Structures are given as structure tokens and as C-alpha cells.
Amino acid sequence: MSTNDDDSLRQVLANMPAGLVIRRGFPQHVIFANPAAEEMLGRVVPTGRHTHYADVEAHGIYRLYEQVLATGETIHLPSARFLFEPPGRPPLERFLDVTILPIRDAQGKVDGTAAIGVDVSEQVIARRQAESMEQRYVELLRSLDAIVW
């Protein structure tokens, strides 16, 4: 790829609506985090260094990064609940579809991960509300002694 192609790809990744964090090397350090990822996490993610956040660790994400590095297999977490605790802000509850992919070097060895997150909080909350309403409706029908037509 040319420098122009690299710049274009970086611009696309920076502007995509899904969160993206790319980590490379040993120990893993962030080489790219787009604004959508920072919004989901509730913090700026510094690049060029190893980062470790207790609230992210509490969900076992770093262990999953290590698993992807060790196995080379993609991990997908659909509608996973996260509680992020950004500094100086109230906790953020998010439901995310997360995919962690291996990144391979020129020789095919896994030396990084790409974590992609899509915020599905609104869909999860709407589905839960619909299920709750359906349950109340079923309970109401069961409580009637007789159905009146």
C-alpha cells in the first residue's frame, strides 16, 4: 500500500461508527483507537504504549486478548454487558457486540489483536422492555377467570 492508501484507510477506520482498538507487540500496546472506541470506553485511549484499565480487566477482556494471541482464533461476544468507570465521570453501562480478531505478521505469526465493538445498548434495552411487557400481558391473561368476548 502507498502512503496515500494508508492515510485513506486510517481515515476510514477513524470515522467508522464501530469502536476499534488495535494492539500489537509483546507486551501488547495500543497502536490505534478510533473515537467511537473512546466514546464507548468513556476515555481517551493513548497510543504507543501498554494500557491497562481495571474496569476493562474486570470483564476479562485482557484475558481474551491473550487467548486470541495464543490460539489465533477470533472471539465474538454478542450483547455483552460492560460497566466502564471513566475517571471523573459516572459509570457507563453499555451492551456491546465485541469481536476480537488476531493480527498476523508477515510470517503468519499472531502478534496483535483488533477489538471491534458495536454499541447495541438501545436494542438490548428495547428487547428487554418488550419481553417484560409480554410477560405482564401473559400474567394478566392468566389472572382472568374467564375471557369475555
Side-chain angles (χ1 to χ4, degrees), residues 76-128:
H76 182 66
L77 306 170
S79 303
R81 180 186 176 269
F82 291 90
L83 186 63
F84 298 116
E85 299 177 14
R89 292 177 48 194
L92 299 171
E93 181 181 44
R94 302 261 198 248
F95 293 91
L96 305 175
D97 281 349
V98 176
T99 301
I100 304 172
L101 305 145
I103 298 175
R104 299 179 189 277
D105 63 16
Q107 291 73 41
K109 181 182 174 196
V110 177
D111 74 340
T113 57
I116 302 167
V118 177
D119 190 340
V120 294
S121 299
E122 289 181 14
Q123 294 90 328
V124 170
I125 291 167
R127 184 178 65 239
R128 287 182 176 179

Side-chain angles (χ1 to χ4, degrees), residues 42-104:
R43 63 175 57 93
V44 173
V45 179
T47 58
R49 61 181 238 212
H50 176 74
T51 57
H52 188 91
Y53 302 110
D55 56 342
V56 175
E57 175 62 32
H59 296 289
I61 294 298
Y62 296 116
R63 181 182 49 78
L64 295 176
Y65 284 144
E66 294 299 323
Q67 182 179 334
V68 170
L69 286 169
T71 66
E73 295 179 6
T74 298
I75 293 175
H76 182 66
L77 306 170
S79 303
R81 180 186 176 269
F82 291 90
L83 186 63
F84 298 116
E85 299 177 14
R89 292 177 48 194
L92 299 171
E93 181 181 44
R94 302 261 198 248
F95 293 91
L96 305 175
D97 281 349
V98 176
T99 301
I100 304 172
L101 305 145
I103 298 175
R104 299 179 189 277

Side-chain angles (χ1 to χ4, degrees), residues 7-21:
D7 290 343
S8 295
L9 179 58
R10 184 172 290 276
Q11 185 178 18
V12 168
L13 296 176
N15 291 310
M16 66 186 228
L20 174 64
V21 176

